[in-house]
């Protein structure tokens, strides 16, 4: 079984009320009420997912792994954040009790409907958990996957349209779409910041390697099998990913393609071909994470990778590992 991949990110609003609670518990005198942070829309969304998961229990119709999956999702998202009761101006919102299938439908829709405006460094964990919920629940209720796919593609179109009509030169790197701001239009001769070029080239090289791997592994499946059809279709989306990276990099900054890539394992039969497919998709997810940390555009590419991976194995609930809530890290 392949372990989830990850890379370090940030959790911006986890248990912020803890320090205030400690101050009051110790009897320290405060000359004035401490400032209670205001959560932005993305932080509020993370908070809502925490409430949804906290109110969810395995139920009839859920996958057998529902209990384990829910624990993993909740640990990744982190606990609900609430200000100390003495400073709260209103009662905290609540969520109704749900099964995993019900929670997955509500939570994935909430994230993917907002995908075009996500920010505050929480994009990786929100996208990862929403993707996992949709795919795990989709094994029992396929329409959840279909709805998620549509919402993700609509969100990506909205992002692309906003950038086409906006001023890249004034975009903030921390705002949605900011990952593209430094790169500009990437015409031949334009300068791409070194860190940005390295990130896009890593994705470019991984997408090329994955395409090569899928060409090699596809022949190990029957021509009419789901695996063979998926492998061949995956070449198209990987080609689109490579093309996008080339466009972002520009001719001068893009690395040259290798003539071949080392495959581990070398596909010689259906079992080794499936294993290679999992390895290729894990590599793609790992390469995507730095982009995902700054730009919601990468959600579509993470979704494509996760959906293709589940053809060759059970859906992977989380593509990234979380030693701490909200902090995605690449597992070596």
């Amino acid at each position: 079984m392949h372990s989830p991949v990850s890379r370090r990110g940030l959790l911006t609003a986890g248990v912020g009320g803890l320090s205030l609670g400690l101050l009051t518990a110790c009897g320290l005198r405060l000359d004035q009420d401490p400032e209670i942070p205001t959560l932005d829309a993305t932080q509020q969304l993370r908070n809502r997912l925490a409430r949804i998961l906290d109110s969810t229990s395995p139920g009839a119709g859920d996958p057998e792994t529902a209990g384990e999956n829910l624990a993993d999702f909740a640990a990744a998202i982190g606990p609900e954040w609430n200000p100390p009761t003495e400073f709260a101006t209103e009662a905290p919102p609540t969520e109704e009790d749900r099964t995993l299938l019900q929670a997955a439908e509500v939570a994935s829709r909430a994230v993917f409907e907002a995908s075009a405006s996500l920010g505050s460094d929480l994009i990786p964990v929100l996208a990862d958990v929403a993707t996992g919920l949709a795919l795990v629940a989709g094994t029992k209720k396929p329409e959840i996957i279909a709805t998620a796919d549509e919402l993700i593609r609509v969100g990506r179109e909205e992002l692309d349209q906003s950038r086409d009509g906006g001023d890249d030169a004034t975009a903030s790197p921390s705002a949605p779409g900011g990952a593209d701001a430094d790169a500009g239009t990437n015409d031949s001769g334009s300068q791409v910041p070194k860190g940005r070029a390295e990130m896009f080239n890593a994705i470019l090289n991984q997408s090329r390697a994955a395409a090569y791997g899928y060409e090699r592994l596809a022949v190990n499946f029957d021509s009419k099998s789901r695996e063979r059809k998926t492998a061949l279709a995956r070449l198209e989306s990987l080609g689109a990913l490579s093309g996008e990276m080339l466009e972002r990099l520009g001719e001068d900054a893009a690395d040259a393609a290798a003539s071949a890539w080392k495959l581990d394992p070398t596909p010689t039969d259906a079992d080794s071909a499936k294993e290679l497919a999992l390895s290729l998709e894990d590599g793609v997810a790992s390469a995507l994470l730095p982009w995902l940390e700054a730009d919601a555009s990468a959600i579509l590419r993470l979704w494509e990778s996760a959906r293709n991976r589940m053809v060759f194995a059970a859906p992977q609930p989380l593509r990234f590992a979380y030693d701490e809530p909200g902090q995605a890290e690449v597992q070596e």
Side-chain angles (χ1 to χ4, degrees):
M1 176 177 177
H2 285 247
S3 300
V5 297
S6 58
R7 186 177 180 277
R8 191 165 185 80
L10 295 174
L11 176 67
T12 57
V15 287
L18 178 60
S19 59
L20 297 177
L22 290 175
L23 287 175
T24 55
C26 293
L28 295 180
R29 180 178 180 274
L30 298 176
D31 293 330
Q32 60 184 21
D33 290 345
E35 181 179 352
I36 304 301
T38 300
L39 304 185
D40 65 22
T42 304
Q43 293 163 340
Q44 291 177 28
L45 180 56
R46 185 213 68 85
N47 218 24
R48 188 188 176 201
L49 259 64
R51 292 196 303 271
I52 291 173
L53 293 170
D54 187 57
S55 301
T56 299
S57 302
D62 281 349
E64 293 182 1
T65 58
E68 178 184 350
N69 296 155
L70 281 169
D72 290 341
F73 292 138
I77 282 291
E80 179 186 357
W81 184 89
N82 283 309
T85 55
E86 58 267 37
F87 300 116
T89 58
E90 59 184 17
T94 59
E95 292 288 338
E96 64 183 73
D97 293 339
R98 295 183 175 94
T99 65
L100 174 64
L101 261 63
Q102 294 168 337
E105 193 164 13
V106 172
S108 61
R109 175 180 285 276
V111 172
F112 296 139
E113 281 184 337
S115 60
S117 59
L118 295 179
S120 71
D121 301 311
L122 288 171
I123 302 171
V125 65
L126 291 173
D128 193 19
V129 169
T131 295
L133 279 166
L135 296 183
V136 168
T139 61
K140 295 291 187 177
K141 192 174 181 180
E143 52 264 41
I144 294 177
I145 295 178
T147 298
D149 187 84
E150 180 180 358
L151 291 173
I152 290 169
R153 295 183 187 282
V154 168
R156 176 57 192 264
E157 289 176 4
E158 291 177 0
L159 277 170
D160 291 344
Q161 290 171 1
S162 67
R163 289 166 189 169
D164 289 342
D167 183 1
D168 286 341
T170 58
S172 168
S174 61
D180 299 326
D182 293 338
T185 59
N186 291 314
D187 291 330
S188 180
S190 66
Q191 296 298 314
V192 181
K194 181 179 179 181
R196 192 74 63 205
E198 290 176 349
M199 177 181 71
F200 288 146
N201 269 312
I203 299 171
L204 174 62
N205 292 333
Q206 190 62 51
S207 64
R208 286 167 166 170
Y212 174 74
Y214 270 109
E215 288 177 346
R216 292 283 304 276
L217 69 85
V219 298
N220 291 280
F221 299 106
D222 182 85
S223 60
K224 296 182 179 181
S225 68
R226 183 186 181 206
E227 290 86 355
R228 176 74 168 267
K229 293 177 180 177
T230 297
L232 296 178
R234 182 60 169 140
L235 296 175
E236 182 177 351
S237 59
L238 286 168
L241 176 56
S242 296
E244 182 177 358
M245 293 301 101
L246 288 169
E247 183 178 354
R248 290 172 181 269
L249 283 161
E251 181 180 347
D252 293 342
D255 290 344
S259 57
W261 288 263
K262 181 180 178 181
L263 302 179
D264 186 18
T266 299
T268 56
D269 53 25
D271 288 340
S272 59
K274 289 180 180 180
E275 186 177 352
L276 176 59
L278 302 185
S279 177
L280 294 174
E281 295 299 354
D282 287 349
V284 169
S286 178
L288 287 174
L289 186 52
W291 184 25
L292 191 67
E293 288 174 342
D295 188 351
S297 293
I299 292 176
L300 172 61
R301 303 308 182 185
L302 183 72
W303 172 256
E304 291 173 339
S305 175
R307 283 201 68 185
N308 279 277
R309 190 186 190 283
M310 72 178 290
V311 172
F312 302 95
Q316 191 176 30
L318 294 171
R319 306 302 305 283
F320 309 122
Y322 298 87
D323 291 338
E324 297 180 26
Q327 294 185 350
E329 301 177 351
V330 174
Q331 197 172 74
E332 301 297 340

